[in-house]
Amino acid sequence: MRRGLTSTFIALLVAVFSLPPAGADDSIPIADPSSGAAIAAAEKDDQTSSRRKKKEKKEDDKKPAGQAAGPKKDELPPFDDVVKDAEMLEGLFTVYRKDDKIYLSLKPEHLEKDYMMSLTRETGIGQSWLLAAQVLDDGPVRFRKVGKKVQLLLRNQRFQAKDDPDIRRAVEKSFSDSLAGAAKIESQPHPETKAILVEVAPFVMSDVEGIGAWLGQVLQAPYNFDRENSSVSAAKTFPLNLEIEARAHFTSNKPANFVNLPDPRSLFITYRYSITDVPSAEGFVPRLADDRVGHFMALYQDFSDDRRETPYVRYVSRWDLQKEEPYAALSKPRQPITFWLENNIPKQYRKAVADGILIWNKAFEKIGFQDAIVVKQQPDDADWDPADARYATVRWFVTTTGSFAIGPSRVNRMTGQIFDADIGVAEAIVRFTRREHEELADPVGALQAMADAMQPPALRQSAPQVPSRFRQDPRSYCQFASGAVQQAAFGHSLLLAQGMEPGSAREDQYVNDFITHVMAHEVGHTLGLRHNFRASYVLPVDQLQDTRRTTEQGLTGSVMDYTPANLAPAGRPQGQYWQTTLGPYDEWAIEYAYKPFPGIKTSEDELPHLRAIASRVAEVRNHYGTDEDLSDPRTSQWDIGGDGIAYYQGRVALAKELWNRIPQKMARDGEGYQIMRRSFVEGIGQFVPALVNVSKYIGGLYTHRDHVGDPQGRLPFQPVPADRQREALTFLRQSVFSSDSFDLPPELLNKLAASRWWDFNWSVFAMPRMEFPLHDTILALQQITLQNLYHPVKLDRLVDLEKLYPAGQKPFTLTEMFNGLKESIWSEVHGAAPARIDSFRRALQRDHLKRLSDLVVKPSPDTPEDAVTMARANLGDLKGRIDGALKAPGLDPATRAHLEETRARIDAALSAQMIRLTS
């Protein structure tokens, strides 16, 4: 009895003194030692322990003499036993590969330490938005030991209280981390390093993008993540980073029409997880951002000081570029930004790629850096891997449907320091420029998607291309290269139609300058610069072919604009096709982000210098407007020159010039007619930016980013002058709404044949008609324009603008727009005598009638009442004019039937409105 009590007492002491400290993560609930339950539990544990020891002794007695006892049942195997015969990879972490398992060795110093992790979709299916080489997300992570597992935590560093320990405790309790994955510990600690082993797979085996739910929502084709057939396909470790590739398998019983797959019920996506050591911040001073200049930012909220206007802290994303000689006027950097060209880039394009990178040295030289950027070529026998974070690379990849380039970078979210970048270029940007792309089976859908991409993000109607988790960064908005390829294809067709010989030096210059242009844009992103869609307004339209000026200062103010091919009409001098030098805005943005201030120690000390730089925002050379400013007509994609309306008048004329030349210039003996169809579609594509961007002038508002006290003192908002809005409406009436806007000859239309070849997409079988869908395509252009003009936001702004014009200026009103559109679209019943209405006009008039009727019968909640009133007035006026037209003799049957049907629909709409208003 005494022995039992003694054992119980000892058990109680162990229970008491084994209690973990407050806040420990490994805490285990223990019963109250003063309770009877605790005593009973202790006695039971003592008895169980005694029986287990006797059993283990008997088993040891059975073993041959000299054989060591093996691990106990609940005991983990020794570290060396687990990794015996495994392949060892050393670097930032040590990794062991054994059979089909990959083990990660975690030393005590690896735990509770922040690393940076970035996620890339390394391989896709070449279709929809599941494309290869797409950067998805990045941020801090931490390994944490919890009991018998190690968790990989996605750290929540968005909320801080750096300077106040009391508030810091409140912040830490208020915001949670997230769990990326958890792996059980597989070994005892290493006897010397104390490292433990965990499998890598549980950290990375998941539907990290939410593909299953997303495909179910967007394509009504839910896919399930198949853990059993997913695997870790590769692991590489380097001095600064660990690279893990996870091959995720998805299955579906209701699959999408993924024609690139042998069986759409099954697909694999490979993800690359890059875990990187957080770069040293020694000597690096985070630079506070300014909204007058366009940079990507690292941002978080700091609650230390409640007297600040906002808790947000915003740092410019930039490389740690420091002079070797801090006080020298011109000095080499201690560590230049070095880009390596991967050896899979075709040799004939390597110089063009390098030129697009090195042009940025011009901006750095102006702030005292010599050779800030260096380009090196990866040799064919290189013993390093492009995945190594010590190497910023330019990579060439292949996809069947995408034609784009991407310029992502890895950034320390707490300081803004960029520490790695890898630019990916799809080889299709060259192949598509030469027009060797597949036939478009859905030209109407392509036009509508193009128009939607040019809208401000808040007004886009199409589904986002990635789940919301990966749309929190403006870096995901870049669609430059895919749009540039469309512009390049049009330019290439026009030059061929004008007489350029295939394979000539002129063609080579066009293509190589295009590559340089694209590379300069993407490198700008890796340096931390955002888009600048207002840069095109720097140079007057009549100077765009002045090579002397454009070579010196660029076609636009910035390579960060979306710039089309610069094309001259036939018989006019041709200047530069593409922007191949920096613009003045680029130099200003680099100055703000990278200009060194010797002796400065803190971010706040830099502010007077930075504010002086940013205050130059009103200078013409520094015009800046980006993705969220796209409602301003001067902030537009795919234009050049200081007069958007004049530029698009010329662009529409170039499209029609191409159409006129197609029958004679694009037909070659022995070739199919599909080359003519492609060229015609490329011409149609030039109407989309013209109609979208010119529409923005109507009900338009100029916006400025000036701060109070800046030179020139521009106000944040200025209504587009009324005469400018009238000029825009005239352009639209003539270009898309007049009866002869698309008067195309039969000799052209009858040659727009599609290729008869079938392909992986079965495009030829997916086409309901072999002939070109002319009416649907023209109507799509008109619908894009009407959709913009009758958008509730524009209608609301037109009402507001009447109060914002300067005194003495006659406002452009909602009434003026409604009546102008009505007179143009229904011109056949506005004249002295009614005219025949052809099939194109009937389709347009039906669409216009539906929009007016919808405004009257079922307006959206945010539609101003004045717009409803004007729609009703337009319908009433049309009814009267149609009544008069139907009394005229000689109307052809189709016109008469159309007008009678229109009158009936107007009566129905007006009657329905009366019911709605009185109900």
Side-chain angles (χ1 to χ4, degrees):
M1 184 70 178
R2 179 181 299 275
R3 290 175 60 187
L5 285 174
T6 301
S7 298
T8 301
F9 180 69
I10 292 173
L12 288 172
L13 287 176
V14 171
V16 171
F17 288 104
S18 296
L19 284 171
D25 293 314
D26 296 4
S27 58
I28 301 174
I30 298 179
D32 182 354
S34 64
S35 68
I39 295 173
E43 289 178 342
K44 184 176 180 180
D45 289 344
D46 182 57
Q47 294 168 2
T48 302
S49 176
S50 177
R51 287 195 299 270
R52 184 172 64 246
K53 289 178 180 177
K54 290 178 181 179
K55 182 178 179 180
E56 290 171 354
K57 185 176 186 306
K58 288 180 180 179
E59 291 175 351
D60 288 341
D61 290 342
K62 294 179 182 178
K63 294 180 180 179
Q67 180 174 329
K72 297 176 182 178
K73 182 178 180 180
D74 296 333
E75 198 172 76
L76 293 171
F79 186 101
D80 289 337
D81 287 0
V82 177
V83 300
K84 184 180 179 180
D85 299 327
E87 177 189 5
M88 183 174 69
L89 306 172
E90 293 185 285
L92 177 64
F93 299 93
T94 300
V95 171
Y96 296 89
R97 188 193 304 273
K98 184 176 182 180
D99 300 327
D100 61 344
K101 294 184 178 181
I102 297 176
Y103 295 101
L104 179 64
S105 172
L106 293 173
K107 299 177 182 179
E109 58 264 32
H110 293 145
L111 303 174
E112 300 300 331
K113 175 185 176 181
D114 285 341
Y115 296 90
M116 299 299 297
M117 185 171 79
S118 63
L119 178 65
T120 304
R121 191 191 308 124
E122 194 74 3
T123 69
I125 64 173
Q127 190 174 352
S128 192
W129 51 272
L130 294 174
L131 303 177
Q134 298 301 292
V135 173
L136 300 177
D137 197 15
D138 58 20
V141 296
R142 174 177 291 189
F143 293 103
R144 172 168 292 169
K145 182 176 177 292
V146 180
K148 297 180 180 181
K149 291 185 176 182
V150 172
Q151 296 177 340
L152 179 62
L153 299 178
L154 303 174
R155 298 279 287 139
N156 190 345
Q157 293 186 341
R158 296 179 179 183
F159 309 98
Q160 303 284 327
K162 290 188 172 183
D163 301 328
D164 190 323
D166 297 330
I167 298 296
R168 187 183 308 128
R169 284 188 284 272
V171 169
E172 289 171 352
K173 292 180 179 179
S174 299
F175 303 102
S176 172
D177 293 337
S178 296
L179 181 68
K184 68 186 180 83
I185 298 172
E186 302 286 350
S187 75
Q188 297 178 24
H190 189 279
E192 296 177 3
T193 66
K194 307 304 179 186
I196 55 177
L197 292 170
V198 293
E199 268 199 75
V200 166
F203 293 141
V204 297
M205 283 291 97
S206 66
D207 183 3
V208 66
E209 278 192 272
I211 282 180
W214 190 248
L215 290 177
Q217 176 186 347
V218 176
L219 301 180
Q220 287 73 54
Y223 279 73
N224 297 314
F225 174 68
D226 176 12
R227 174 65 180 84
E228 183 178 354
N229 291 299
S230 300
S231 61
V232 177
S233 53
K236 301 177 182 179
T237 186
F238 306 98
L240 298 180
N241 58 302
L242 168 67
E243 302 292 318
I244 303 168
E245 286 189 1
R247 193 165 185 250
H249 184 240
F250 298 87
T251 63
S252 177
N253 293 324
K254 297 173 59 179
N257 185 28
F258 289 142
V259 295
N260 280 0
L261 297 169
D263 184 340
R265 294 174 298 177
S266 165
L267 64 89
F268 287 95
I269 304 290
T270 300
Y271 295 100
R272 177 187 289 272
Y273 293 78
S274 302
I275 300 177
T276 311
D277 202 7
V278 177
S280 171
E282 182 180 354
F284 181 81
V285 178
R287 180 154 294 183
L288 291 167
D290 193 296
D291 67 334
R292 290 168 286 187
V293 196
H295 301 97
F296 295 126
M297 297 178 293
L299 70 161
Y300 60 89
Q301 292 189 21
D302 189 346
F303 293 92
S304 299
D305 187 352
D306 58 11
R307 294 168 296 179
R308 290 204 307 258
E309 179 184 356
T310 173
Y312 276 103
V313 176
R314 296 176 172 90
Y315 291 130
V316 170
S317 295
R318 64 190 188 118
W319 294 80
D320 183 12
L321 204 62
Q322 300 182 37
K323 286 184 174 182
E324 283 184 348
E325 303 173 63
Y327 293 92
L330 187 65
S331 167
K332 289 188 175 182
R334 295 178 184 174
Q335 185 69 39
I337 304 169
T338 303
F339 284 97
W340 288 83
L341 307 188
E342 252 193 290
N343 53 19
N344 60 0
I345 299 175
K347 289 183 174 60
Q348 66 267 33
Y349 299 133
R350 291 179 182 178
K351 182 180 184 304
V353 170
D355 288 347
I357 300 171
L358 293 173
I359 66 171
W360 285 96
N361 276 330
K362 175 184 175 184
F364 285 103
E365 287 172 2
K366 292 196 172 184
I367 56 173
F369 286 101
Q370 180 183 354
D371 298 329
I373 299 179
V374 175
V375 174
K376 295 182 179 181
Q377 176 63 52
Q378 180 191 21
D380 291 340
D381 59 352
D383 59 357
W384 54 270
D385 193 300
D388 192 333
R390 293 174 297 172
Y391 298 88
T393 60
V394 180
R395 314 183 70 178
W396 206 259
F397 62 93
V398 177
T399 177
T400 62
T401 60
S403 52
F404 56 89
I406 52 174
S409 54
R410 299 176 182 172
V411 182
N412 184 334
R413 294 291 184 92
M414 299 307 295
T415 65
Q417 181 181 349
I418 300 173
F419 56 92
D420 187 25
D422 292 294
I423 298 172
V425 182
E427 58 81 35
I429 72 166
V430 178
R431 180 164 50 86
F432 280 28
T433 299
R434 296 181 184 274
R435 303 179 297 96
E436 296 173 3
H437 55 79
E438 296 171 346
E439 187 64 45
L440 271 176
D442 182 16
V444 173
L447 295 176
Q448 292 169 338
M450 187 191 311
D452 198 53
M454 298 175 64
Q455 301 290 353
L459 299 182
R460 292 174 187 167
Q461 297 191 7
S462 61
Q465 290 191 326
V466 291
S468 59
R469 174 187 164 193
F470 305 109
R471 286 187 282 114
Q472 300 174 3
D473 194 320
R475 289 179 293 179
S476 66
Y477 289 152
C478 188
Q479 299 178 349
F480 166 66
S482 57
V485 164
Q486 296 168 355
Q487 296 293 326
F490 167 73
H492 190 257
S493 291
L494 180 66
L495 293 176
L496 289 176
Q498 290 178 348
M500 180 180 73
E501 290 295 326
S504 65
R506 184 183 179 191
E507 184 186 53
D508 288 342
Q509 180 184 358
Y510 181 84
V511 173
N512 280 277
D513 284 356
F514 174 63
I515 295 172
T516 297
H517 175 69
V518 171
M519 282 303 307
H521 181 97
E522 300 304 337
V523 170
H525 282 322
T526 68
L527 296 175
L529 272 62
R530 293 188 65 188
H531 293 138
N532 182 4
F533 300 131
R534 194 173 298 179
S536 52
Y537 265 66
V538 169
L539 203 63
V541 172
D542 60 6
Q543 295 181 17
L544 293 177
Q545 307 306 331
D546 185 345
T547 304
R548 181 185 58 81
R549 293 202 62 175
T550 61
T551 302
E552 179 183 343
Q553 68 179 57
L555 287 165
T556 74
S558 173
V559 296
M560 304 312 296
D561 202 344
Y562 282 12
T563 308
N566 178 38
L567 302 166
R572 302 279 184 87
Q574 173 65 58
Q576 286 186 290
Y577 297 119
W578 301 100
Q579 176 141 347
T580 56
T581 187
L582 297 185
Y585 167 83
D586 300 319
E587 297 171 0
W588 181 53
I590 290 295
E591 178 186 4
Y592 185 95
Y594 288 95
K595 184 175 182 178
F597 303 110
I600 292 296
K601 300 296 183 183
T602 69
S603 303
E604 288 71 21
D605 291 340
E606 290 185 333
L607 277 177
H609 305 281
L610 296 175
R611 286 170 177 161
I613 295 172
S615 69
R616 307 202 305 262
V617 62
E619 295 180 11
V620 172
R621 55 187 281 118
N622 296 335
H623 276 325
Y624 170 58
T626 191
D627 296 88
E628 59 267 27
D629 302 313
L630 282 171
S631 58
D632 185 322
R634 301 170 304 176
T635 305
S636 293
Q637 301 171 359
W638 311 120
D639 65 338
I640 326 177
D643 186 335
I645 299 175
Y647 171 76
Y648 282 119
Q649 286 172 336
R651 204 67 172 184
V652 167
L654 286 176
K656 293 183 176 181
E657 178 187 333
L658 174 61
W659 292 343
N660 290 334
R661 292 173 177 269
I662 284 175
Q664 294 78 33
K665 298 293 186 179
M666 306 303 285
R668 297 188 182 93
D669 291 345
E671 292 187 356
Y673 283 91
Q674 58 266 26
I675 187 174
M676 301 187 184
R677 183 182 177 114
R678 284 199 298 265
S679 298
F680 180 78
V681 171
E682 288 160 1
I684 286 285
Q686 296 305 299
F687 278 78
V688 175
L691 303 177
V692 170
N693 290 330
V694 174
S695 295
K696 295 195 297 186
Y697 283 91
I698 299 172
L701 199 66
Y702 294 153
T703 61
H704 305 115
R705 290 175 173 254
D706 305 46
H707 287 190
V708 176
D710 282 349
Q712 301 186 36
R714 297 180 303 180
L715 295 175
F717 304 113
Q718 174 190 344
V720 173
D723 288 345
R724 193 75 167 140
Q725 296 188 56
R726 295 184 183 104
E727 186 180 354
L729 183 59
T730 299
F731 171 85
L732 296 176
R733 291 177 63 173
Q734 294 174 347
S735 300
V736 73
F737 293 138
S738 72
S739 57
D740 60 352
S741 294
F742 300 98
D743 189 11
L744 300 167
E747 65 170 335
L748 169 62
L749 300 178
N750 286 320
K751 293 179 180 179
L752 303 182
S755 170
R756 296 299 200 278
W757 289 115
W758 60 271
D759 53 25
F760 292 144
N761 295 312
W762 278 47
S763 299
V764 67
F765 300 106
M767 299 174 68
R769 300 159 51 187
M770 295 305 297
E771 75 277 17
F772 188 79
L774 187 63
H775 281 75
D776 291 344
T777 301
I778 300 305
L779 181 60
L781 294 175
Q782 295 165 334
Q783 288 173 327
I784 287 168
T785 311
L786 291 175
Q787 181 176 306
N788 287 340
L789 294 176
Y790 287 116
H791 194 286
V793 172
K794 184 177 291 292
L795 299 176
D796 210 26
R797 185 179 290 136
L798 275 165
V799 176
D800 287 344
L801 285 183
E802 294 186 31
K803 294 295 184 183
L804 301 182
Y805 288 98
Q809 186 178 125
K810 180 184 177 183
F812 180 88
T813 64
L814 186 78
T815 301
E816 195 169 346
M817 186 193 80
F818 268 78
N819 289 341
L821 291 174
K822 175 180 63 69
E823 292 169 8
S824 182
I825 294 171
W826 297 89
S827 60
E828 291 87 350
V829 297
H830 270 78
R836 176 181 176 272
I837 305 175
D838 67 22
S839 55
F840 290 100
R841 300 286 291 168
R842 294 196 297 269
L844 169 62
Q845 289 170 3
R846 290 189 194 101
D847 188 84
H848 182 246
L849 176 64
K850 184 178 185 305
R851 293 178 191 277
L852 293 179
S853 299
D854 286 348
L855 282 171
V856 168
V857 177
K858 50 180 180 180
S860 63
D862 48 354
T863 300
E865 283 294 330
D866 279 357
V868 177
T869 301
M870 280 308 307
R872 187 184 188 283
N874 275 189
L875 290 177
D877 181 73
L878 279 175
K879 184 176 183 299
R881 294 180 183 276
I882 290 172
D883 286 341
L886 288 172
K887 295 175 182 178
L891 281 180
D892 64 283
T895 298
R896 179 172 293 278
H898 170 66
L899 292 178
E900 289 175 344
E901 174 67 16
T902 300
R903 182 173 61 181
R905 293 186 184 189
I906 291 174
D907 287 338
L910 296 178
S911 298
Q913 187 199 37
M914 293 303 298
I915 295 173
R916 179 177 66 85
L917 293 175
T918 57
S919 61

